[in-house]
Structures are given as structure tokens and as C-alpha cells.
């Protein structure tokens, strides 16, 4: 994140310069979001679950255009907005990328000002402000998960209209309807890392098996106090169920 | 099920306001359903039994438009009676399912109902047939209705072949309970029908006796969803 250095110097000299730069950034991003309805949509399954000491955030890897063309088999929908804060996106890919880029920028600025790593809630609030203030034009929902020193592992859901909610686990995307029953039945609070990883992989595999716009590989990011670790479970290593 | 005959199709197509499930076990079948009938946003009947007999040991589970489903069940009941007199023995489950399929397929543009047929006969034991939109397929278990989308993952993960009678009943009750807690058009009580060579056992599980799953708002209010 080398953007820090330039802005710190400029800030001391000329605050108006920074403001203009920021405004230009917004205009450029808004132009990109006009094509959200017909463009690439993620049609996806995303989930996040807290366990004892951290949080796992996971997703499938398929991006589709319309309902019959897979435009990417291996897209990574887990975006890092800070060292220990990740976001996963559902909905229009263009909107989601624009919002997360903006949030990353604002978050890095915020953490310089506060001189400490940002709170997960701060990251989620930034996304919520962006979603709520632009609710007519945007079509994307987010799950923000991470670890901070104040409250430990947390998960926040920012829905499409701009609602912000904190939950111990959450699922989202088109494939999530098929696994509501499974996650309701199988989630236990304070699981171990192994149990939580198994839970996430199973849930995503089940959703990918039933939803035709979710598929590919499973991406998981495990965030704990020590840092963030990215795990990829390829298709042939996914758990198999009774009819496969 | 829908009280009125019009089609509350969402962006994903036809919406069937219910949850029905049928599973075969070694020696019989278990059928289960919720009990809610809705007309738009109103619940017009909260204790409707959607498991309807087609013959002594053959039942069907109704979903979709209430009128269409009930009419199909009545017609097939009559046709099956005539058929069993003609062949002078108990009808096969496959025959019942074929009769349902014939009606569903012939009138597929006008009707909007999905029946799952389950029963026991001497030839093949317990069998479950799905007849969605005019197809007929035998399956080890079948789920249907709007609530079924939420439990696809659960039934995929939890189903094991050759479960016992007790395990099958628990499987059905757990699945119904999960679906009823997530689907707005399913709810009320759970009805269960178990059919085997001995006969038919009907059971009703009241709402407060259904199994409960993890819900932070009730179990740990301090960790409930907050902003």
C-alpha cells in the first residue's frame, strides 16, 4: 500500500489538492458502474463464519454473464481491504469492484489518521455509506469479515439497499438459498478451526452442487490475530455427498 | 399452497408456497408436509393436512395451487379405485404415480401443482415418485414446494441410503422444521405419514415440539444480530 507516502506529504501542504483528487476518483468510478445490469454478474455463493479465535470467509469462483455463459471459472471474490479485513462480493461484479476499491482507499486514509489498524466495523460502515447513498445505481451486497483488537473476530453484512448487520455467521449470493437449512442445522458457536473449515467447505460444496451459477473452486480466507491465510480447495478435492 | 389460483411467480419462476418431503426406507416410506395455506400475504388455513390418501397404502403430498392439487388427488383416487377393482388386487405405487403424471402432463399449461407420490406395495416395497410438471421419476427421497429450496443443502448432506424407520422420521421432521423457519409460505405444524407392510401411521408434530436449531436471538441474546 505505497499510496500512504504520497498523501501524507501532500496533506501537510495542501488539503484542497487531496479533496480534488478524491472527487476525481469518485467520478471515474461512477462512470464504470453504468453497465451493471447487462454486464458480468457474480451469481455466487458467499459465506462467513466466526470460530474460536478468528473468522473464515469463503466463496465459490464462478462469474457468469446472462444465465448460460461462465465468463470466468476461477475468479477470486474475496477482496482484501486491509491487512486483517476481507470483503466478499455478490451481485454485479463491476459495482462490487468499484465499491471495494473506494472502500480500500478510504480505509487506508482513515487508518493513517487514526494511526492504528482500522476496526472491522469501520470498514463495514464505509461500505454501508457507499451502498446507501448510491442505492439507486448500485446492485451489490457485501459480507465484511475480519479481526481487530477491540472486539476480535467479527462479521458484518451490508445488504443491497445499505443495511448493516452484525452476525455470528452469514451466507449470501444466489446459491445461499439452498444451504440455509444446512447452516442453520450445523452451525455451533465457538467451533475450532478444523470444524469451521469443514463447515464452510461443506456448505459451499452443497451450494455449488445445486446452484448452476455457482461453481469452480472454493476460496477460503482464515483471519486470526496472527494474520490472514488464503486456502483454495480445487474441485476434485471438494467433499462428495450421497448422489455423487 | 396458494389459496387463489393465480400464479405468484417470482424472478425464478413458479412459487409453490409449502414444504413437502418423502423418503423411502427399508420396508416403507415416510411422507411429511407443513400445514400453511396462504393467499398472497394472508394465511387462510394454518392447520391444513397436505398428505392426501390415494389408496390404502399410497399417499401423495400436495404443493402449489391448493385447488389444482386437491382436484388431481381426488381424480387419481377415483381412477385408482377403478383400476384396483379391474385388476382385482392392490394397486402399485408406480401406477398411482403414472396416473398423477398423466394428468399433470396433459394439463400442464392450465395446472400449477406438484405432487409427490409415496407408498408401499408388495412388488417393490416402499417407493417415492416425483411428478413435477409432468415428468415421473423414482427417487430415494424427494422434496418439493417453495420451502424445499432452503433445505436442498441439508438433505444432500444428511441423507444416507438404507436408514431405519426411526431415522427417516427424524430426517423428515428436521428438514421440515428447518424449511419452515426460513420460508415465509411454510409453517404451522408438521404432518407425518409412515407407510409400511403393516399399515399406515399418521402423526402430527405441533409447532412447539419441532426441533430447534441454533438461533442467536433466542439462545444467546447478547450475541444476537446487532448493528
Amino acid at each position: 500500500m505505497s499510496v500512504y507516502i504520497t498523501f501524507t506529504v501532500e496533506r501537510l501542504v495542501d488539503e484542497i489538492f487531496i479533496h480534488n483528487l478524491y472527487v476525481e476518483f469518485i467520478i471515474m468510478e461512477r462512470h464504470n458502474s453504468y453497465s451493471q445490469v447487462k454486464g458480468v454478474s457474480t451469481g455466487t455463493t458467499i459465506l462467513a463464519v466466526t470460530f474460536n479465535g478468528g473468522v473464515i470467509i469463503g466463496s465459490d469462483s464462478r462469474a457468469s454473464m446472462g444465465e448460460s455463459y461462465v465468463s470466468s471459472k476461477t475468479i477470486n471474490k474475496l477482496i482484501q481491504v486491509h491487512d486483517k479485513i476481507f470483503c466478499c462480493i455478490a451481485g454485479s461484479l463491476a459495482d462490487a469492484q468499484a465499491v471495494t476499491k473506494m472502500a480500500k482507499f478510504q480505509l487506508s486514509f482513515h487508518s493513517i489518521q487514526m494511526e492504528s489498524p482500522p476496526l472491522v466495523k469501520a470498514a463495514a460502515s464505509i461500505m454501508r455509506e457507499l451502498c446507501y447513498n448510491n442505492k439507486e445505481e448500485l446492485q451489490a451486497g457485501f459480507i465484511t469479515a475480519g479481526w481487530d483488537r477491540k472486539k476480535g473476530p467479527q462479521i458484518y453484512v451490508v445488504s443491497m439497499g445499505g443495511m448493516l448487520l452484525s452476525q455470528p455467521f452469514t451466507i449470501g449470493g444466489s446459491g445461499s438459498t439452498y444451504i440455509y437449512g444446512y447452516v442453520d442445522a450445523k452451525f455451533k458457536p465457538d467451533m475450532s478451526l478444523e470444524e469451521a473449515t469443514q463447515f464452510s467447505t461443506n456448505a459451499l460444496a452443497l451450494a455449488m452442487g445445486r446452484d448452476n451459477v455457482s461453481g469452480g473452486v472454493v476460496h477460503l480466507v482464515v483471519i486470526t490475530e496472527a494474520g490472514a491465510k488464503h486456502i483454495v480447495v480445487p474441485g476434485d478435492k471438494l467433499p462428495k455427498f450421497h448422489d455423487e | 399452497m396458494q389459496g387463489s389460483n393465480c400464479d405468484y411467480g417470482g424472478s425464478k419462476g413458479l412459487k409453490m408456497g409449502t414444504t413437502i418431503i418423502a423418503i423411502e426406507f427399508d420396508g416403507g416410506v415416510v411422507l411429511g408436509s407443513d400445514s400453511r395455506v396462504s393467499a398472497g400475504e394472508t394465511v387462510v388455513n394454518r392447520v391444513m393436512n397436505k398428505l392426501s390418501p390415494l389408496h390404502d397404502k399410497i399417499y401423495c403430498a400436495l404443493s402449489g395451487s391448493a385447488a389444482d392439487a386437491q382436484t388431481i388427488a381426488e381424480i387419481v383416487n377415483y381412477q385408482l379405485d377403478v383400476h384396483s377393482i379391474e385388476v382385482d388386487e392392490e394397486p402399485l405405487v408406480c401406477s398411482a404415480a403414472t396416473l398423477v403424471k398423466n394428468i399433470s402432463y396433459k394439463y400442464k399449461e392450465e395446472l400449477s401443482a406438484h405432487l409427490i407420490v409415496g407408498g408401499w406395495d408388495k412388488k417393490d416395497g416402499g417407493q417415492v415418485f416425483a411428478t413435477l410438471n409432468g415428468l415421473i421419476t423414482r427417487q430415494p427421497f424427494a422434496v418439493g414446494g417453495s420451502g424445499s429450496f432452503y433445505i436442498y443443502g441439508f438433505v444432500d448432506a444428511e441423507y444416507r441410503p438404507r436408514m431405519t424407520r426411526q431415522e427417516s422420521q427424524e430426517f423428515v421432521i428436521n428438514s421440515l422444521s428447518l424449511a419452515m423457519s426460513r420460508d415465509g409460505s411454510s409453517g404451522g405444524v408438521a404432518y407425518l405419514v409412515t407407510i409400511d407392510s403393516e399399515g399406515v401411521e399418521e402423526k402430527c408434530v405441533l409447532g412447539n415440539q419441532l426441533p430447534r436449531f441454533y438461533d442467536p436471538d433466542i439462545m444467546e441474546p447478547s450475541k444476537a444480530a446487532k448493528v
Side-chain angles (χ1 to χ4, degrees):
Chain A
M1 294 211 185
S2 60
V3 73
Y4 293 160
I5 302 164
T6 328
F7 286 175
T8 317
V9 169
E10 296 301 333
R11 189 180 169 219
L12 295 171
V13 173
D14 190 348
E15 289 210 326
I16 299 170
F17 175 74
I18 300 297
H19 180 69
N20 284 343
L21 204 67
Y22 186 69
V23 166
E24 275 170 25
F25 190 80
I26 295 176
I27 292 170
M28 180 179 80
E29 291 300 321
R30 187 161 292 175
H31 173 70
N32 285 345
S33 75
Y34 283 153
S35 57
Q36 25 111 312
V37 172
K38 289 199 179 71
V40 178
S41 142
T42 52
T44 184
T45 312
I46 53 180
L47 65 71
V49 53
T50 52
F51 64 93
N52 194 357
V55 59
I56 294 183
I57 187 169
S59 79
D60 71 310
S61 70
R62 180 175 289 184
S64 50
M65 242 152 75
E67 271 167 32
S68 53
Y69 179 63
V70 175
S71 55
S72 170
K73 290 185 278 190
T74 51
I75 190 174
N76 188 359
K77 303 176 193 175
L78 304 174
I79 317 267
Q80 183 167 25
V81 293
H82 207 263
D83 296 341
K84 291 193 205 130
I85 307 178
F86 276 72
C87 244
C88 53
I89 52 186
S92 157
L93 195 49
D95 286 347
Q97 284 185 343
V99 173
T100 47
K101 239 200 234 176
M102 182 98 75
K104 210 165 158 177
F105 168 80
Q106 289 191 11
L107 202 58
S108 68
F109 207 50
H110 170 74
S111 78
I112 295 171
Q113 284 181 314
M114 307 299 289
E115 287 176 16
S116 72
L119 298 179
V120 186
K121 192 161 184 184
S125 295
I126 292 173
M127 319 271 292
R128 185 263 305 266
E129 285 301 301
L130 292 167
C131 287
Y132 183 72
N133 292 335
N134 299 300
K135 61 171 19 161
E136 276 88 41
E137 287 128 340
L138 292 176
Q139 235 184 27
F142 304 88
I143 295 178
T144 309
W147 188 96
D148 64 43
R149 219 185 340 241
K150 188 170 167 200
K151 278 200 195 152
Q154 299 146 73
I155 295 173
Y156 291 90
V157 178
V158 178
S159 69
M160 233 176 254
M163 173 184 78
L164 175 64
L165 206 55
S166 162
Q167 292 184 309
F169 74 93
T170 187
I171 54 180
S174 60
S176 66
T177 50
Y178 305 103
I179 49 172
Y180 271 109
Y182 180 79
V183 299
D184 280 344
K186 295 289 168 175
F187 176 76
K188 298 185 311 283
D190 287 329
M191 289 189 277
S192 69
L193 172 59
E194 290 74 30
E195 288 174 326
T197 312
Q198 191 61 47
F199 170 84
S200 317
T201 316
N202 284 349
L204 286 168
L206 287 164
M208 281 155 51
R210 286 287 181 179
D211 184 25
N212 62 345
V213 290
S214 299
V217 304
V218 164
H219 288 287
L220 294 175
V221 172
V222 180
I223 309 171
T224 57
E225 184 174 0
K229 192 166 74 134
H230 189 181
I231 304 171
V232 175
V233 184
D236 56 349
K237 302 265 183 335
L238 287 174
K240 291 202 191 312
F241 299 96
H242 72 96
D243 52 358
E244 297 170 74
Chain B
M1 298 211 288
Q2 311 276 327
S4 62
N5 216 349
C6 61
D7 188 335
Y8 291 96
S11 60
K12 288 203 174 93
L14 194 63
K15 188 175 189 315
M16 301 183 205
T18 196
T19 310
I20 51 176
I21 176 170
I23 177 171
E24 82 181 48
F25 63 90
D26 195 17
V29 294
V30 179
L31 289 102
S33 81
D34 73 307
S35 68
R36 181 173 290 182
V37 180
S38 48
E41 288 160 359
T42 323
V43 175
V44 296
N45 185 342
R46 58 189 166 90
V47 287
M48 161 117 193
N49 190 346
K50 299 176 192 177
L51 302 175
S52 174
L54 296 178
H55 202 81
D56 295 339
K57 294 214 180 106
I58 306 175
Y59 272 64
C60 70
L62 315 172
S63 75
S65 152
D68 289 348
Q70 280 185 335
T71 308
I72 297 177
E74 274 174 27
I75 294 175
V76 173
N77 190 338
Y78 165 76
Q79 290 176 340
L80 214 50
D81 264 345
V82 172
H83 170 74
S84 81
I85 291 170
E86 283 177 346
V87 300
D88 198 23
E89 63 178 28
E90 296 290 308
L92 299 176
V93 185
C94 171
S95 314
T98 306
L99 290 169
V100 172
K101 180 263 292 179
N102 287 344
I103 300 177
S104 303
Y105 182 69
K106 186 165 180 197
Y107 300 102
K108 78 189 304 207
E109 305 303 320
E110 291 103 330
L111 297 175
S112 74
H114 168 34
L115 273 66
I116 296 180
V117 178
W120 184 93
D121 64 42
K122 252 190 332 234
K123 183 164 168 247
D124 279 322
Q127 298 147 72
V128 168
F129 289 87
T131 63
L132 179 63
N133 276 347
L135 67 77
I136 176 172
T137 170
R138 180 171 172 197
Q139 295 178 190
F141 70 92
V143 296
S146 62
S148 69
F149 295 115
Y150 302 102
I151 51 172
Y152 272 117
F154 179 76
V155 300
D156 279 343
E158 288 297 292
Y159 174 75
R160 292 170 323 278
R162 285 179 297 280
M163 290 198 270
T164 65
R165 180 196 172 108
Q166 181 66 20
E167 288 172 336
S168 306
Q169 287 178 330
E170 280 169 11
F171 177 84
V172 166
I173 292 179
N174 284 341
S175 309
L176 286 172
S177 174
L178 286 164
M180 281 156 55
S181 71
R182 283 288 181 181
D183 181 29
S185 322
S186 302
V189 305
Y191 286 104
L192 234 71
V193 162
T194 312
I195 310 172
D196 59 15
S197 57
E198 323 272 294
V200 172
E201 179 204 330
E202 294 190 16
K203 201 156 69 154
C204 171
V205 182
L206 297 181
N208 59 350
Q209 290 160 358
L210 285 170
R212 295 237 201 98
F213 297 92
Y214 179 76
D215 185 347
D217 294 319
I218 295 173
M219 292 176 189
E220 277 171 274
S222 59
K223 283 194 188 156
K226 288 193 284 277
V227 174

